[in-house]
């Protein structure tokens, strides 16, 4: 950045700060209800009751200012702001949507730059840069920017829902720039103390009242779906479940209707009343369903004598030949008085995995599975306290058995039974490996969201836990493994925020840092772009071809295999740059498509390099890029950078001795630049609801200097492959959500 540019920012900032010194008396608009936005909903406007800005170098906050500030204006001046809202009007309401409005009189750049909305701790008299409220939850990212004192917005539905659920009458919101090192992201918003009441901040909330139902499912974990992926149950008396909620009352109930697929009514039921916001269940009585049959059901909530709308129909199939059990039915809790004994027998089995299975507890006794007579003799010797170590020339050969011998006192007085089995511990572990390999390579199992496997010690089977036991998933396991697996239907309990831009996990997202291991052994660090449906059952992931010029294996940054890129057919990069894909006569930029080895989702990471925040991919752009279009780049090395403008289309770029043909190039831009490693990342625009529309695959950067920051004398530009080239060049379509 040049000194003259920085001086302009400083003068503009000084003018903005001068407004805060002349702050006037507060003008507060009360929360008032307006006519319903849609049938069954109402709209209310929330306003602030307090605010402050925390600025580097200032020992106190700015609670009396007529503005709030966020981002870095220049070196040494970074601001974050906090606003406390009057949320009393949304207590006991069901929040459908909420949009925050801020009038934005000044921004250092008129280009869209991302800023964040958080739920934070409360403002206090001590709030300053050094004493900030806790930043608790990232609620939204917006790129809306104004230089003309017009309103910018952010979708803050989750912020208001969180406040309503917590009965927080005065929740505090934090605002900050996504990239606080980017001087173009600095913004000023008018606060509640600005003289024009039409320009003070407000949140427009659409809410509903009355009874509503969510999460209809049959037995634990099965979703409400129809068609081939309908869930399967192993009983003719399953439980139908629904979450019923009415924020205005304490007691609710539910009605249920069960029919054959042709509409013949088989059963109706009305539940007893129970607490609002809880799960209501109704068990199907015996004699209503038959094994092998497929059925449908629906439900509705009832509150204060008034019934809500029926849900859509949910289907399921009964297959009593399947073995579906509850999570608590596998490896039940071991009585405390038997835990040491079981651990000792387990050490003996671990030391001799080819001779033993997995020991278990039945009643008051330890049951030891054995494959050989020698194992039975060892188990009996351990029970008798006479087991001795076998001579060995390797002192580390059998430490587990030595530990069992040392723990013989643990088994004294504990009943032990020997059970002859055919599968050894080694074979069971090999079976588990086979099941796990099938999970990531079988589309039906990927769709069922298998998230856990464990050894069912009672029988030596592999217990496979999935979010939805569907007919295709059950059949896939049964055909390959028969009765050696048992199914558990349970929602995925792993935290959704475990994935990040730097550590993606299945289901894979775009915008993550990846590695491409090439056939020659070299490894390229790049970014993933967008998930792709190669077929309805074959997932894929887009990236840049120059990351995999001869194909290779796509890995997450933690080196978990994501998939493979076939050389030639799924990448278009040769010794001189872009080449034709097979049977095509149009150059299609710089793009590659991996066959994903696990599931994908139509989402990308958004925000800084370390972000865990994601956004759903709504669609492809409705046309190819045109000059003047604006866009964002979400690379994994430099993070999300918005404010780019298309400067040229269908051009050929010569870089590093290679021609990248038929790409889109940006105009020159000052500020933060994209850089090495961002190649392959997503190019997109951000919609008003926070979702993104796919525009392309990032390919490279020009300019910006060694610091990757474009100033007056070294602005930067970049180029990308249009998403429509992926659509025309590769099989399949964009994965959306």
């Amino acid at each position: 950045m040049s000194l003259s540019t920085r001086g302009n920012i400083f003068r503009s900032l000084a003018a903005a700060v001068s407004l805060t010194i002349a702050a006037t008396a507060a003008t507060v608009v009360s929360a008032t209800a307006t006519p319903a936005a849609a049938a069954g909903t109402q709209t209310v406007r929330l306003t602030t009751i307090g605010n402050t800005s925390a600025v580097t170098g200032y020992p106190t906050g700015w609670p009396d200012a007529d503005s709030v500030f966020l981002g870095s204006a220049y070196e040494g001046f970074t601001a974050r702001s906090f606003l406390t809202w009057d949320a009393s009007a949304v207590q006991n309401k069901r929040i459908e949507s909420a949009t925050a409005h801020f009038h934005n009189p000044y921004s250092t750049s008129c280009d869209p730059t991302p800023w964040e909305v958080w739920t934070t701790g409360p403002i206090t008299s001590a709030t300053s840069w050094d004493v900030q409220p806790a930043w608790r939850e990232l609620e939204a990212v917006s790129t809306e920017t104004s230089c003309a004192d017009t309103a910018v917005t952010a979708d803050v539905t989750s912020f208001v829902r969180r406040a309503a659920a917590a009965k927080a009458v005065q929740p505090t919101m934090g605002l900050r720039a996504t990239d606080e090192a980017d001087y173009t992201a600095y913004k000023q918003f008018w606060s509640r103390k600005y003289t024009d009441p039409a320009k003070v901040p407000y949140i427009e909330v659409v809410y509903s009242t009355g009874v509503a139902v969510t999460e209809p499912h049959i037995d634990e974990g099965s979703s409400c779906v129809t068609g081939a992926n309908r869930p399967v149950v192993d009983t003719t008396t399953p439980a139908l479940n629904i979450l019923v909620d009415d924020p205005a009352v304490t007691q609710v109930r539910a009605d249920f209707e069960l029919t054959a697929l042709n509409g013949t009514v088989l059963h109706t039921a009305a539940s007893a009343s129970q607490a609002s916001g809880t799960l209501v269940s109704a068990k199907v009585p015996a004699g209503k369903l038959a094994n092998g049959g497929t059925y449908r059901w629906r439900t509705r909530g009832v509150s204060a004598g008034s019934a809500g709308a029926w849900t859509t129909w949910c289907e399921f199939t009964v297959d009593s030949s399947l073995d579906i059990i509850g999570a608590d039915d596998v490896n039940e809790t071991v009585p405390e008085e038997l835990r040491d004994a079981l651990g000792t027998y387990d050490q003996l089995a671990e030391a001799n995995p080819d001779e033993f299975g997995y020991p278990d507890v039945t009643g008051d006794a330890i049951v030891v599975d054995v494959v050989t007579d020698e194992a039975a003799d060892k188990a009996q010797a351990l029970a008798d306290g006479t087991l001795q170590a076998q001579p060995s020339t390797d002192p580390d050969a059998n430490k587990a058995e030595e530990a069992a011998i040392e723990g013989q006192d643990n088994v004294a007085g504990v009943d032990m039974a020997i059970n002859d089995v055919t599968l050894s511990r080694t074979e069971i572990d090999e079976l588990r490996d086979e099941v796990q390999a099938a999970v990531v390579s079988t589309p039906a199992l990927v769709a069922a969201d298998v998230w856990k496997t464990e050894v069912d010690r009672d029988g030596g089977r592999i217990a496979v836990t999935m979010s939805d036991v569907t007919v295709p998933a059950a059949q896939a396991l049964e055909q390959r493994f028969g009765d050696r697996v048992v199914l558990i239907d349970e929602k995925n309990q792993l935290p959704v925020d475990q994935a990040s831009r730097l550590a993606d996990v299945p289901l894979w997202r775009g915008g993550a840092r990846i590695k491409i291991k090439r056939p020659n052994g070299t490894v390229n660090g790049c970014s993933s772009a967008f998930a792709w449906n190669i077929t309805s059952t074959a997932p894929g992931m887009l990236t840049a071809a120059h990351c995999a010029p001869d194909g290779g294996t796509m890995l997450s940054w933690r080196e978990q295999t994501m998939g493979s890129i076939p050389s030639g057919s799924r990448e278009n990069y040769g010794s001189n740059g872009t080449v034709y894909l097979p049977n095509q006569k149009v150059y299609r930029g710089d793009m590659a498509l991996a066959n994903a080895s696990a599931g994908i989702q139509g989402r990308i990471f958004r925000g800084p390099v370390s972000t865990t925040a994601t956004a759903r991919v709504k669609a492809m752009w409705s046309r190819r890029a045109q000059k003047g279009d604006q866009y964002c780049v979400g690379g994994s090395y430099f993070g999300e950078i918005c404010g780019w403008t298309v400067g040229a289309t269908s051009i050929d770029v010569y870089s590093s001795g290679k021609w990248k043909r038929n790409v889109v190039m940006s105009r020159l831009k000052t500020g933060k630049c994209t850089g090495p490693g961002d190649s392959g990342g997503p190019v997109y625009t951000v919609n008003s609801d926070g979702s993104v529309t796919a525009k392309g695959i990032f390919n490279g950067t020009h300019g910006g200097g060694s610091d990757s920051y474009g100033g007056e004398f070294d602005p930067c530009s970049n180029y990308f492959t249009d998403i429509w080239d992926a659509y025309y060049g590769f099989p399949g379509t964009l994965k959306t959500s």
Side-chain angles (χ1 to χ4, degrees), residues 359-399:
D360 194 17
V361 172
T362 299
D364 295 329
I366 305 295
V367 178
V368 181
D369 288 354
V370 300
V371 179
T372 65
D373 292 340
E374 290 80 2
D377 292 340
K378 285 186 177 182
Q380 189 61 57
L382 180 60
D384 296 338
T386 60
L387 182 64
Q388 295 182 356
Q390 299 298 315
S392 174
T393 58
D394 182 357
D396 296 324
N398 215 335
K399 289 185 176 181

Side-chain angles (χ1 to χ4, degrees), residues 111-114 143 530 606 621 625-634 640-649 663-669 674 681-686 692-702 716-722:
D111 293 334
T113 52
T143 59
F530 295 101
R606 288 199 58 209
W621 256 71
Q626 298 294 335
K627 191 172 181 178
D629 287 351
Q630 292 191 330
Y631 63 92
C632 300
V633 176
E640 181 180 74
I641 305 174
C642 296
W644 299 100
T645 303
V646 173
T649 62
V663 296
V664 180
M665 192 163 191
S666 76
R667 294 174 181 168
L668 292 172
K669 173 182 175 294
T674 49
V683 176
Y684 52 90
T685 54
V686 181
V692 301
T693 299
K695 202 168 186 69
I697 304 162
F698 184 74
N699 295 148
T701 299
H702 282 298
C716 51
S717 65
N718 58 47
Y719 49 97
F720 65 90
T721 298
D722 199 296

Side-chain angles (χ1 to χ4, degrees), residues 16 85 109 180 255 260 301 474 477 498 501 607 653 688 691:
W85 297 86
S109 170
E180 292 180 328
D255 292 334
L477 288 173
Q498 66 173 333
R501 193 189 288 280
V653 174
S688 59
S691 65

Side-chain angles (χ1 to χ4, degrees), residues 228-546:
N229 284 324
R230 64 177 67 91
V232 60
V233 297
D234 64 348
T235 175
T236 56
T237 58
L240 312 178
N241 308 282
I242 190 70
L243 185 68
V244 186
D245 172 59
D246 186 343
V249 302
T250 58
Q251 294 289 306
V252 294
R253 66 174 183 83
D255 292 334
F256 296 88
E257 183 178 13
L258 173 69
T259 79
L261 284 187
N262 63 9
T264 302
V265 177
L266 303 176
H267 179 62
T268 60
S271 74
S273 294
Q274 60 186 66
S276 176
T278 59
L279 194 69
V280 179
S281 299
K283 189 171 184 177
V284 178
K288 302 296 183 181
L289 307 178
N291 183 41
T294 298
Y295 305 92
R296 65 177 190 170
W297 65 284
R298 63 179 182 173
T299 182
R300 65 182 179 183
V302 181
S303 167
S306 178
W310 287 100
T311 64
T312 58
W313 289 103
C314 309
E315 296 179 2
F316 66 96
T317 296
V318 178
D319 187 347
S320 58
S321 67
L322 297 177
D323 195 358
I324 304 175
I325 61 178
D328 294 336
D329 296 330
V330 175
N331 302 329
E332 298 179 10
T333 301
V334 178
E336 186 173 359
E337 63 273 16
L338 297 179
R339 293 174 191 171
D340 289 344
L342 178 62
T344 301
Y345 282 110
D346 212 23
Q347 288 172 325
L348 179 63
E350 182 181 345
N352 303 277
D354 294 330
E355 301 178 47
F356 286 85
Y358 280 85
D360 194 17
V361 172
T362 299
D364 295 329
I366 305 295
V367 178
V368 181
D369 288 354
V370 300
V371 179
T372 65
D373 292 340
E374 290 80 2
D377 292 340
K378 285 186 177 182
Q380 189 61 57
L382 180 60
D384 296 338
T386 60
L387 182 64
Q388 295 182 356
Q390 299 298 315
S392 174
T393 58
D394 182 357
D396 296 324
N398 215 335
K399 289 185 176 181
E401 184 165 309
E402 291 178 3
I405 293 171
E406 293 176 1
Q408 288 186 92
D409 289 346
N410 294 330
V411 306
V414 176
D415 291 339
M416 186 273 294
I418 292 175
N419 181 41
D420 292 322
V421 296
T422 57
L423 284 181
S424 69
R425 191 182 185 112
T426 297
E427 292 168 323
I428 292 172
D429 289 345
E430 290 173 349
L431 173 61
R432 178 159 55 175
D433 290 342
E434 292 177 23
V435 170
Q436 292 173 353
V439 164
V440 299
S441 62
T442 307
L445 296 176
V446 171
D449 187 23
V450 176
W451 61 277
K452 183 174 67 172
T453 63
E454 60 187 305
V455 175
D456 178 13
R457 290 173 177 260
D458 182 14
R461 301 172 297 178
I462 305 302
V464 181
T465 302
M466 58 188 76
S467 292
D468 282 313
V469 177
T470 63
V471 172
Q475 289 176 341
L477 288 173
E478 185 179 24
Q479 289 171 2
R480 183 162 179 179
F481 302 106
D483 60 1
R484 293 181 296 169
V485 298
V486 60
L487 309 181
I488 299 176
D489 200 343
E490 183 181 23
K491 282 295 183 186
N492 194 332
Q493 298 175 1
L494 299 178
V496 296
D497 61 351
Q498 66 173 333
S500 70
R501 193 189 288 280
L502 299 181
D504 197 14
V505 297
L507 305 168
W508 306 115
R509 286 144 280 231
R513 187 171 294 185
I514 61 172
K515 298 178 181 179
I516 303 294
K517 185 175 290 185
R518 298 173 58 188
N520 63 8
T522 61
V523 177
N524 292 337
C526 287
S527 303
S528 58
F530 295 101
W532 197 259
N533 288 322
I534 300 173
T535 69
S536 60
T537 58
M541 181 64 69
L542 293 171
T543 188
H546 75 262

